[in-house]
Amino acid sequence: MTPRILVFPGSTRTGAFSGKTADAAVKELALQGAEVTRISLDDYPLPILNQDLEREKGVPENALKLAYMLGAHDGALIASPEYNASVPPLLKNTIDWISRVNADSDGRPFRAFSGKPVALCSSSGGIFAGVRALNHLRAVLVHCQAEIITPQCSVPRAREAFDDNGDLLEERLQKAMTKVCRTLIERARMLSTRLEA
């Protein structure tokens, strides 16, 4: 089975380090034989989660699209920046909305994150490499019943971490990314709950 992996960064800023980290993961996943879908959350704008809004209008269409897209993949990799030592609001809001989807397009019970293997990467311009954000992100996704893999790749001093081709320069980080992607692919093959179109 060729595993299908969904990859997205938690920032939509032009030149975001998390975008570069996501792109490095896409290359490595493809090199290891995965079928990769790379998306930008910029293409799926969502309002701030508000239960009054949800009661009035239901779950937004973009949240449904993201949930079903996640469901159609065997695993996911999220590359997060760090805002004030935690998860950025765009990413947290996206996860919160996806978690509100409780049925598939045919009305059957469905939770996009439940049992889904997820790998976490981070990056920042400083020495902490976004690790503090991943601690919080891991807790949020575990609550959503995702299967978070243990290896992670955190890129410090991200301004200098990539070459002109977008590849990680440091051998230690290259090895970390390789391990993350290999583990995610293995877990995705083992635990696939992919929704069939």
Side-chain angles (χ1 to χ4, degrees):
M1 180 191 96
T2 300
R4 299 184 67 198
I5 307 294
L6 180 67
V7 176
F8 60 91
S11 173
T12 59
R13 177 179 64 82
T14 301
F17 304 138
S18 59
K20 292 182 178 182
T21 305
D23 291 340
V26 166
K27 286 184 182 180
E28 184 60 34
L29 286 163
L31 190 65
Q32 294 192 31
E35 179 185 333
V36 186
T37 305
R38 162 66 154 90
I39 63 168
S40 169
L41 297 182
D42 214 18
D43 295 325
Y44 302 90
L46 291 165
I48 296 296
L49 181 62
N50 179 312
Q51 288 181 311
D52 289 338
L53 177 66
E54 184 181 3
R55 273 192 295 270
E56 291 169 16
K57 298 186 177 180
V59 175
E61 182 181 354
N62 280 335
L64 293 170
K65 286 180 180 178
L66 287 167
Y68 298 156
M69 189 185 308
L70 183 59
H73 288 76
D74 302 300
L77 185 146
I78 301 172
S80 181
E82 180 179 288
Y83 287 22
N84 291 321
S86 191
V87 183
L90 171 67
L91 180 54
K92 179 64 164 61
N93 190 59
T94 299
I95 292 168
D96 289 343
W97 270 121
I98 290 173
S99 75
R100 305 301 290 180
V101 178
N102 57 25
D104 67 14
S105 56
D106 294 320
R108 295 170 297 202
F110 166 70
R111 295 287 186 178
F113 286 112
S114 183
K116 187 71 61 178
V118 178
L120 303 179
C121 295
S122 64
S123 50
S124 76
I127 61 172
F128 292 113
V131 169
R132 296 170 296 185
L134 291 195
N135 290 335
H136 295 176
L137 181 56
R138 187 177 294 268
V140 169
L141 290 168
V142 165
H143 182 78
C144 295
Q145 300 181 341
E147 296 287 338
I148 312 301
I149 69 166
T150 301
Q152 61 188 45
C153 180
S154 295
V155 182
R157 298 185 181 89
R159 286 179 186 84
E160 299 87 35
F162 301 89
D163 65 18
D164 292 339
N165 295 320
D167 297 318
L168 289 162
L169 288 166
E170 201 174 324
E171 185 180 2
R172 175 184 64 86
L173 294 174
Q174 294 168 7
K175 287 181 177 179
M177 184 63 81
T178 298
K179 185 175 183 180
V180 166
C181 294
R182 183 175 64 246
T183 306
L184 178 59
I185 287 171
E186 289 170 355
R187 200 69 55 84
R189 285 189 173 124
M190 287 171 49
L191 300 177
S192 177
T193 57
R194 186 197 304 178
L195 288 179
E196 297 301 331

